[in-house]
Amino acid sequence: MIEAPKGTRDVLPDEIGRWQFVEECARETFERYAFREIRTPIFESTELFARGIGEGSDIVAKEMYTFHDRKGRSVTLRPENTAPVARAFIEHQMHRAPGLQRMYYIGPMFRYERPQKGRMRQFHQIGVEVFGSDHPAVDAETLEMLMAFLGRLGLDDAELALNSVGDPVCRPVYRKALLAYLEPRRDTLCEDCRRRMADNPLRCFDCKVEADRAVMARAPAITDYLCAACREHFGRVTEYLRAYGIRHRLDPRLVRGLDYYRRTSFEVTLQGLGAQNALLGGGRYDGLIKELGGPEVPGFGFAVGEERLVMSLPAAAAVSRGTPEIFIATVDERGVERALLVARALRRVGRRVVFDPLPDKSLRAQLRRANDLQVRFVLILGETEVRERAVTIKRMSDGSQETIAEDRVGARLAEMAGA
Ligand code: AMP
């Protein structure tokens, strides 16, 4: 038997309702804030991610699905979508449009990770990006939108943690202080962290090794090193959040290690997911567009893991959508053609109809199936009905039945459904 590749999974029809609910909620919410969808390719030039995420990051160093195409070009299945959206922004010269550009995306991402609970090789993200302003109101409004989205999904225990990672003025000073703290502790750190110390010591905060996390928990905090402009920016973001009444926790050790990340950095955790399983991450990346060869345009965004979101939905959100309302049962071949025509007529007026052409099955078996499908009505096309161009309607809620002319079925069902 051929199985789905390791680290991937099928989303089956029984669970798709929750995915569609989340996605519709995202579109609905984001569009209220003037975000529009963008769809970029699933694969890109490898160089985009090397530059857009950073050569020394875990993702680029060991998690990318990279291969050579038939012409020997190195391409990579996207491990995240901020770099691709930034690439599209530059390629289509979106900075020329007046005002801010706000975009969202929903789609699969690929990382070669060790599969475990909540960690897949193909997973999905719902994300947004705002380009064109470094005003702290952009940070605050986008965070408010995020919390509104999570609220609509019923995730009321979502905890927002926030920090500022400074800018090219103050971060070098902090970096020095951090290195001064780390140097004497080098031997206690994992190999990855020792590499990170040389590359970019801020990344040591991303380390998942327990002992290293303990070391990092006592490291100097970047918040004590922010320059006046960064301090002012962060102060205003948190002021706006207070004005909104959005609960948040300041976490001075929430650090994103790449150079083009600036100022606001945040994460949302859910109790059920555990401390290392963030639901989402995001922040400001004012240097990214420039790094990718575009103009100096600031950006802000976040990406939510859709698997984790769907997994965390309250049971009450287990919506089933698109399930059939009407089941058509036939008892012989002559009923089949009538059933096809009746079903078409009903679908044309918007009804969801299921017709399984299995006239050899007993009527009783077909009714059992209709019951399992939880339809509201069964239409029976028995011998007499077919002969008289009639249909028997059985209402499942009370078992009542009536037989009416075939051409009145649509109108009668509308009456009964409304009642
Ligand atoms: P990141 O792009 O690493 O900041 O991740 C953003 C969010 O995507 C995380 O908080 C997770 O919810 C989700 N995510 C990242 N990697 C995976 C993965 N391998 N499997 C499932 N979800 C993931």
Side-chain angles (χ1 to χ4, degrees), residues 111 113 118-120 123 125 256 278-281 303-305 308:
R111 293 183 198 173
E113 297 197 76
R119 197 164 284 285
M120 307 284 296
F123 61 100
Q125 286 186 338
R256 314 203 131 220
L279 177 64
L280 65 96
V304 190
R308 293 181 195 179

Side-chain angles (χ1 to χ4, degrees), residues 3 12 83 100 133 142 158-159 211 220 223-224 231 283 285 300 303 316 360 391-392 411-412 418:
E3 294 179 359
L12 299 172
L100 306 193
S133 169
T142 310
E159 196 194 12
T223 20
D224 295 329
R231 201 177 292 278
Y285 45 84
F300 184 90
D360 295 343
V391 174
T392 296
R412 182 64 189 131

Side-chain angles (χ1 to χ4, degrees), residues 124-371:
H124 298 75
Q125 286 186 338
I126 300 179
V128 314
E129 317 291 352
V130 185
F131 296 103
S133 169
D134 62 2
H135 198 289
V138 167
D139 309 36
E141 191 178 60
T142 310
L143 284 166
E144 190 273 324
M145 175 175 85
L146 168 62
M147 298 317 276
F149 169 53
L150 298 179
R152 284 180 69 181
L153 295 177
L155 299 173
D156 298 323
D157 65 340
E159 196 194 12
L160 172 62
L162 207 63
N163 194 23
S164 173
V165 297
D167 68 4
V169 175
C170 50
R171 204 162 17 201
V173 185
Y174 172 65
R175 187 191 151 105
K176 251 195 209 136
L178 182 60
L179 271 178
Y181 169 83
L182 290 177
E183 276 304 345
R185 294 168 178 81
R186 172 185 288 273
D187 295 343
T188 68
L189 296 173
C190 74
E191 199 181 313
D192 277 341
C193 277
R194 286 190 297 237
R195 178 174 50 80
R196 290 176 181 124
M197 279 175 66
D199 270 4
N200 184 344
L202 274 72
R203 284 213 197 100
C204 293
F205 284 104
D206 294 336
C207 187
K208 307 237 160 44
V209 177
E210 222 29 75
D212 292 29
R213 288 170 77 88
V215 173
M216 296 315 291
R218 289 187 303 275
I222 193 163
T223 20
D224 295 329
Y225 291 81
L226 295 181
C227 61
C230 286
R231 201 177 292 278
E232 149 91 10
H233 191 275
F234 193 48
R236 290 185 54 200
V237 174
T238 53
E239 255 168 52
Y240 293 135
L241 291 181
R242 270 195 297 277
Y244 276 130
I246 293 175
R247 271 187 302 126
H248 57 277
R249 180 170 59 80
L250 300 184
D251 178 353
R253 292 189 172 72
L254 204 157
V255 172
R256 314 203 131 220
L258 304 179
D259 288 348
Y260 41 76
Y261 282 120
R262 304 233 179 116
R263 298 182 170 169
T264 314
S265 170
F266 62 94
E267 220 173 67
V268 169
T269 47
L270 286 176
Q271 265 145 27
L273 287 177
Q276 286 182 46
N277 269 351
L279 177 64
L280 65 96
R284 186 162 270 296
Y285 45 84
D286 292 349
L288 178 62
I289 298 281
K290 187 95 197 279
E291 171 64 32
L292 293 177
E296 186 93 51
V297 175
F300 184 90
F302 63 74
V304 190
E306 198 174 352
E307 276 77 6
R308 293 181 195 179
L309 207 54
V310 168
M311 204 159 75
S312 313
L313 282 187
V319 279
S320 58
R321 26 181 330 284
T323 51
E325 313 159 90
I326 298 164
F327 183 94
I328 304 188
T330 51
V331 300
D332 57 26
E333 278 304 327
R334 272 169 306 159
V336 171
E337 185 177 298
R338 295 321 309 163
L340 292 173
L341 298 176
V342 168
R344 179 178 70 174
L346 292 172
R347 291 177 183 134
R348 280 182 170 168
V349 296
R351 297 278 168 202
R352 294 190 302 274
V353 183
V354 58
F355 167 54
D356 294 347
L358 299 168
D360 295 343
K361 281 237 157 101
S362 71
L363 191 57
R364 179 198 285 263
Q366 293 184 60
L367 286 174
R368 250 200 321 271
R369 163 104 174 114
N371 202 40

Side-chain angles (χ1 to χ4, degrees), residues 3-25:
E3 294 179 359
K6 188 172 172 190
T8 70
R9 66 184 284 269
D10 303 304
V11 180
L12 299 172
D14 278 348
E15 40 182 349
I16 201 72
R18 292 159 73 83
W19 287 71
Q20 290 172 330
F21 170 65
V22 163
E23 290 169 14
E24 269 161 32
C25 212

